[in-house]
């Protein structure tokens, strides 16, 4: 039977909005394994950013607990990468590891974590590689996530102007000077007030933007 001891207050959590870097992993990278570890730390940060972008996630905490269980080689322990609090309650425990980096001990740890989460009434997810186009687009939008980029009446005009799908630059220019309007537009895309396909191609002149909830 798996058991765990909490190392951070999962109930309170750490609010994700506007807090990406360092939420899941520490900023310091040991020099002895800098290459591979650096890639894994970056992958964890990128998944934290995607959860920050997910409107269904309201809070996130890194390394939420240590899990112990009787494994095939004796007593084992594992610390999941993060705990997310979905909108409406419950919990989602996430481990980040690419498919080609999973060893037998890792598979055992993930299976034990999944069993413990099931007992706790939480979901468990193991995630790996990210669509590079999606990642590039969300990283770009993340640069405009801060509330200072929400300016009225520009935001309201953009929301109304994209009631019908329009190309990104054309819709921005209808509201005002592109250099002044685009930061607000990107902020609304980050907040999911406006929507755009982020997986098929990089954001650009051909990107079709629409108000959230409208038809494509």
């Amino acid at each position: 039977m798996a058991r765990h001891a909490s190392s951070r207050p999962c109930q309170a959590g750490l609010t994700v909005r506007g807090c990406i870097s360092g939420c899941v992993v520490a900023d310091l990278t040991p020099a002895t394994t800098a290459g591979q570890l650096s890639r894994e730390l970056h992958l964890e940060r990128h998944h934290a950013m995607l959860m920050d972008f997910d409107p269904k996630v309201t809070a996130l905490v890194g390394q939420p607990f240590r899990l112990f269980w009787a494994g095939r080689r004796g007593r084992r322990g594992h610390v999941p990468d993060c705990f997310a609090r979905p909108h409406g309650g419950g919990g989602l425990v996430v481990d980040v590891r690419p498919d080609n980096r999973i060893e037998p001990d890792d598979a055992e740890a993930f299976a034990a974590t999944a069993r413990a989460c099931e007992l706790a009434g939480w979901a468990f997810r193991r995630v790996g590689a990210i669509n590079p186009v999606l990642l590039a687009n969300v990283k770009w939008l993340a640069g405009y996530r801060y509330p200072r980029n929400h300016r009225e009446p520009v935001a309201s005009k953009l929301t109304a102007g994209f009631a019908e799908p329009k190309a990104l630059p054309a819709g921005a220019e209808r509201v005002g000077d592109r250099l002044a309007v685009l930061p607000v537009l990107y902020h609304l895309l980050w907040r999911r007030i406006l929507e755009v396909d982020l997986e098929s191609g990089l954001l650009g002149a051909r990107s079709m933007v629409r108000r959230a909830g409208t038809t494509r």
Side-chain angles (χ1 to χ4, degrees), residues 113-159:
T113 305
R115 290 194 299 270
C117 289
E118 184 178 4
L119 291 174
W122 298 337
F124 172 76
R125 184 185 303 162
R126 197 275 304 173
V127 296
I130 303 170
N131 176 342
V133 174
L134 172 65
L135 178 59
N137 284 329
V138 175
K139 285 176 71 174
W140 177 262
L141 295 180
Y144 299 90
R145 68 189 184 274
Y146 295 109
R148 64 173 177 264
N149 291 299
H150 187 105
R151 293 188 295 105
E152 293 292 356
V154 176
S156 296
K157 290 181 178 179
L158 285 168
T159 304

Side-chain angles (χ1 to χ4, degrees), residues 164-165 195-198 208 210 213-216:
E164 296 293 331
E195 295 180 336
V196 67
D197 180 3
L198 296 173
M208 297 300 293
R210 62 193 173 277
T214 59
T215 57
R216 296 177 182 270

Side-chain angles (χ1 to χ4, degrees), residues 4 6-7 32 45 63 71 89 107 122 132-133 162 169 176 179 182 184 186-187 190 193 200 205-206 209:
H4 75 264
S6 176
S7 60
T32 53
R45 288 191 179 99
Q63 300 181 334
W122 298 337
V133 174
F162 283 104
L179 292 179
L182 282 178
V184 185
Y186 293 141
H187 178 71
W190 171 263
I193 294 172
S200 299
R206 297 183 179 181
V209 178

Side-chain angles (χ1 to χ4, degrees), residues 5-214:
S6 176
S7 60
R8 292 196 183 188
C10 291
Q11 291 297 328
L14 176 62
T15 300
V16 139
R17 304 300 170 207
C19 181
I20 295 176
S21 62
C23 281
V24 176
V25 292
D27 290 330
L28 299 180
T29 302
T32 53
T33 57
Q36 183 59 48
L37 183 57
S38 177
R39 287 192 291 273
E40 292 184 2
L41 293 178
H42 278 298
L43 185 59
E44 290 178 24
R45 288 191 179 99
H46 292 159
H47 276 288
M49 179 181 64
L50 291 179
M51 283 186 279
D52 190 17
F53 184 55
D54 186 346
K56 297 187 295 294
V57 174
T58 60
L60 178 69
V61 65
Q63 300 181 334
F65 55 81
R66 182 178 294 276
L67 179 73
F68 298 98
W69 72 96
R72 56 190 177 88
R73 293 192 294 109
R75 189 172 186 261
R76 293 284 314 281
H78 175 63
V79 179
D81 289 315
C82 65
F83 176 94
R85 178 71 71 192
H87 180 74
L92 170 65
V93 175
V94 177
D95 266 311
V96 180
R97 187 68 59 86
D99 293 346
N100 61 357
R101 292 279 302 162
I102 298 177
E103 303 293 339
D105 283 350
D106 300 321
E108 180 183 298
F110 298 152
T113 305
R115 290 194 299 270
C117 289
E118 184 178 4
L119 291 174
W122 298 337
F124 172 76
R125 184 185 303 162
R126 197 275 304 173
V127 296
I130 303 170
N131 176 342
V133 174
L134 172 65
L135 178 59
N137 284 329
V138 175
K139 285 176 71 174
W140 177 262
L141 295 180
Y144 299 90
R145 68 189 184 274
Y146 295 109
R148 64 173 177 264
N149 291 299
H150 187 105
R151 293 188 295 105
E152 293 292 356
V154 176
S156 296
K157 290 181 178 179
L158 285 168
T159 304
F162 283 104
E164 296 293 331
K166 295 181 182 66
L168 187 152
E173 289 173 350
R174 289 191 179 190
V175 172
D177 178 73
R178 186 189 298 190
L179 292 179
V181 171
L182 282 178
V184 185
L185 193 159
Y186 293 141
H187 178 71
L188 296 178
L189 286 171
W190 171 263
R191 292 180 57 199
R192 303 292 186 96
I193 294 172
L194 300 178
E195 295 180 336
V196 67
D197 180 3
L198 296 173
E199 299 191 42
S200 299
L202 295 176
L203 288 172
R206 297 183 179 181
S207 300
M208 297 300 293
V209 178
R210 62 193 173 277
R211 188 171 62 200
T214 59

